[in-house]
Amino acid sequence: MDRDVQPRRSLFRLPSSLPNLWDEMEDKMNRWMGWEADTGISISEDDSNVYVEAHLPGLKSDEIDISFYQNAVWIKGEKKQEEDYKDRKFYKRSKTSYFYQIDIPTQVEESTEQACFKDGVLTITFKKNPRLQARKIALSDSSEQKTV
């Protein structure tokens, strides 16, 4: 009693000749909202500097744009399509692009940043503003305080 099992058909199935628009739209929306699972961004600091590290594989330094505004770093990168095939019809063509907006967790000095791009990793170093650094306040015993 073998029955032929027919594949289930969906009303929302796209013809195979069209790109999967839903996946593309979902990917673009996730990037726009900053919801990438692995963003490739790290922020760290030591006593005098803040470091932003962004992984941008496949890009060259002239394909990256970095801006700093209101204590946030904006990193945009897009792989330029070098080959143009006029005799081909593309249904899907991958494109490498990155967009990151990173808030710096502390105040930094203006115009002291340095950026370096090596082996697909962008490293930006900011000098902390020493006047705006947190400082410790000594705590004394409440019995020693004088009331004015």
Side-chain angles (χ1 to χ4, degrees):
M1 297 215 189
D2 292 329
R3 296 171 69 192
D4 289 335
V5 179
Q6 295 294 322
R8 189 173 166 171
R9 300 205 182 264
S10 170
L11 294 173
F12 300 107
R13 185 174 174 175
L14 295 173
S16 61
S17 63
L18 293 176
N20 191 336
L21 298 175
W22 181 256
D23 286 347
E24 283 185 29
M25 186 176 71
E26 182 181 31
D27 182 54
K28 287 180 182 185
M29 183 61 98
N30 286 341
R31 285 178 186 240
W32 181 73
M33 297 295 289
W35 292 345
E36 291 177 304
D38 181 20
T39 61
I41 290 285
S42 64
I43 303 172
S44 60
E45 67 178 288
D46 59 22
D47 291 338
S48 56
N49 297 311
V50 175
Y51 306 95
V52 175
E53 195 173 90
H55 295 261
L56 307 169
L59 297 184
K60 297 176 187 167
S61 60
D62 64 341
E63 299 170 325
I64 301 169
D65 181 39
I66 310 164
S67 302
F68 183 71
Y69 180 68
Q70 293 186 343
N71 223 49
V73 178
W74 304 75
I75 301 170
K76 293 189 301 187
E78 185 172 342
K79 181 74 176 167
K80 296 176 181 158
Q81 297 294 337
E82 296 175 7
E83 299 177 17
D84 189 23
Y85 299 98
K86 294 182 181 182
D87 59 336
R88 292 187 186 180
K89 179 181 177 182
F90 285 92
Y91 293 101
K92 180 169 179 144
R93 190 170 186 184
S94 65
K95 181 171 123 177
T96 304
S97 64
Y98 301 91
F99 177 79
Y100 301 114
Q101 186 264 323
I102 306 105
D103 292 323
I104 303 300
T106 187
Q107 293 293 321
V108 294
E109 289 190 37
E110 284 190 35
S111 303
T112 61
E113 62 275 351
Q114 296 178 343
C116 175
F117 186 65
K118 184 178 179 184
D119 298 330
V121 178
L122 172 67
T123 304
I124 308 170
T125 305
F126 296 93
K127 292 205 178 292
K128 289 182 179 180
N129 189 332
R131 294 182 306 261
L132 300 176
Q133 295 297 316
R135 65 186 198 302
K136 297 270 184 186
I137 298 175
L139 181 64
S140 63
D141 189 9
S142 62
S143 64
E144 295 177 13
Q145 281 190 340
K146 296 180 182 178
T147 309
V148 180

